[in-house]
Amino acid sequence: AGHPLHEMLAQHPQLFSASLCGLVRAGEASGSLTQIFAQLADFEEHRYEAREALKSALLYPVILLVVAVVSLVLMTVFVLPAFAAMLQDLRAELPWTTKLLLTLMAFVESHLALLVAGIVLAAAALFALLRHEKSRTVIDGILLKLPILGPLQCYAAWRILLELLSVMLANGIPLTTALEMARDVPANLQVRLEMRALQQQVEAGQPFAASLRQQTSCPGLLVELLMAGETTGTLDAMMEKAAAFAAADVRHRSARVEALAEPIMIFFVGGLIFFFVLSIVLPLLTTMDALM
């Protein structure tokens, strides 16, 4: 019917994210929709593979965690109070882990309604914060500064932006126009804010790479590549190379996250089981010693 494709996609936000619609809009405006679709397909394929690999790595530890938590809750509710009453009759000393579990159980029993209301209110407040643009921008900025996940998100965001800018510049679109069309593409709102500041700096006559270093969280190595491209007049080609480097870095960092996730979860489950043993088995041994 003559409507732009990105507007039709935006009418189905449950299927097409705002960043994806922004990429399609830029592809339509630059006449490079075929390349944009190919890049989107590669990106979505890589993201799917990374997500499924992480799920596979975490499946066994998560099952262990669920079983351990359920066992701990059942033992705390049904078994531990009987042991505690028996130990109090025998005047035996309870371990601190057992005292902690009993205290938590008593607190939950006496304040169950307040706890449920607090959880509901906290979930509603978190949902409201995530929907508010300013608070979401602050949260996204914090996420970019996390030790392991922060650089991964940063390289992933700038990989898409640099690929898009490279395609638009190669198709003859001026840099200021390309920045305007690409500024709303990132899913991270902090990166969007940085892109708007970058656009304003470039429109004011500032060099692109120097403004990129001052205004954005773009990794330093990518900035150096773009400075070399801007100096030699090959900015579009250097953007493509920087995007390829960012894509390789994202793959390596994703592999590290997958490799770290399983041992971290197993270590956490092991700590929970150790706490379970201290809380349940020690009172049992104390009871046996007191009876003997």
Side-chain angles (χ1 to χ4, degrees):
H3 297 287
L5 177 60
H6 71 274
E7 290 183 2
M8 297 299 98
L9 296 179
Q11 293 182 7
H12 305 279
Q14 72 278 9
L15 296 176
F16 307 106
S17 64
S19 59
L20 185 145
C21 296
L23 282 168
V24 174
R25 171 177 173 266
E28 286 182 295
S30 62
S32 56
L33 196 56
T34 303
Q35 293 173 270
I36 295 298
F37 277 153
Q39 291 168 353
L40 273 172
D42 291 340
F43 177 75
E44 291 296 330
E45 180 181 3
H46 172 69
R47 189 168 67 170
Y48 172 79
E49 291 175 352
R51 184 172 62 249
E52 292 303 312
L54 187 60
K55 287 181 181 179
S56 301
L58 292 179
L59 181 61
Y60 176 67
V62 167
I63 292 175
L64 282 180
L65 177 63
V66 171
V67 172
V69 169
V70 171
S71 302
L72 183 60
V73 170
L74 292 176
M75 294 292 286
T76 302
V77 172
F78 297 106
V79 179
L80 194 57
F83 279 125
M86 187 183 300
L87 289 173
Q88 288 175 359
D89 293 339
L90 296 173
R91 303 191 178 203
E93 181 67 22
L94 290 175
W96 69 269
T97 53
T98 308
K99 292 180 180 178
L100 177 62
L101 277 181
L102 290 173
T103 303
L104 287 175
M105 185 180 66
F107 179 80
V108 170
E109 289 179 350
S110 58
H111 301 86
L112 182 59
L114 288 177
L115 284 175
V116 172
I119 292 173
V120 171
L121 288 175
L126 180 60
F127 181 75
L129 282 176
L130 292 177
R131 290 183 63 88
H132 191 260
E133 185 174 353
K134 289 186 178 180
S135 57
R136 173 74 183 280
T137 303
V138 173
I139 294 173
D140 285 349
I142 294 173
L143 291 177
L144 289 176
K145 296 178 182 178
L146 292 178
I148 297 175
L149 297 178
L152 176 61
Q153 295 182 75
C154 193
Y155 272 97
W158 283 101
R159 170 210 170 178
I160 295 177
L161 283 171
L162 292 176
E163 285 181 348
L164 177 60
L165 291 173
S166 172
V167 169
M168 287 193 287
L169 291 181
N171 282 273
I173 294 180
L175 179 59
T176 53
T177 306
L179 289 173
E180 182 183 0
M181 289 190 292
R183 68 183 184 184
D184 294 328
V185 165
N188 189 292
L189 296 188
Q190 176 62 31
V191 179
R192 286 191 194 180
L193 191 64
E194 294 173 351
M195 284 295 295
R196 291 169 185 170
L198 175 63
Q199 178 197 351
Q200 292 174 359
Q201 288 277 64
V202 173
E203 287 177 348
Q206 299 295 323
F208 170 71
S211 302
L212 191 68
R213 170 171 287 171
Q214 295 174 1
Q215 298 292 336
T216 69
S217 58
C218 185
L221 182 55
L222 300 184
V223 175
E224 295 295 334
L225 289 172
L226 296 175
M227 289 183 70
E230 190 173 27
T231 303
T232 58
T234 57
L235 185 58
D236 55 340
M238 199 57 73
M239 280 182 175
E240 185 178 357
K241 291 184 180 296
F245 176 82
D249 190 272
V250 168
R251 288 195 297 271
H252 296 320
R253 291 180 186 273
S254 298
R256 291 188 202 121
V257 170
E258 294 167 13
L260 284 173
E262 185 173 3
I264 289 175
M265 283 294 295
I266 291 177
F267 179 78
F268 179 76
V269 172
L272 186 62
I273 293 175
F274 180 68
F275 183 79
F276 173 80
V277 170
L278 289 179
S279 304
I280 305 299
V281 177
L282 280 183
L284 178 60
L285 297 177
T286 305
T287 303
M288 295 174 62
D289 290 340
L291 293 175
M292 294 175 61

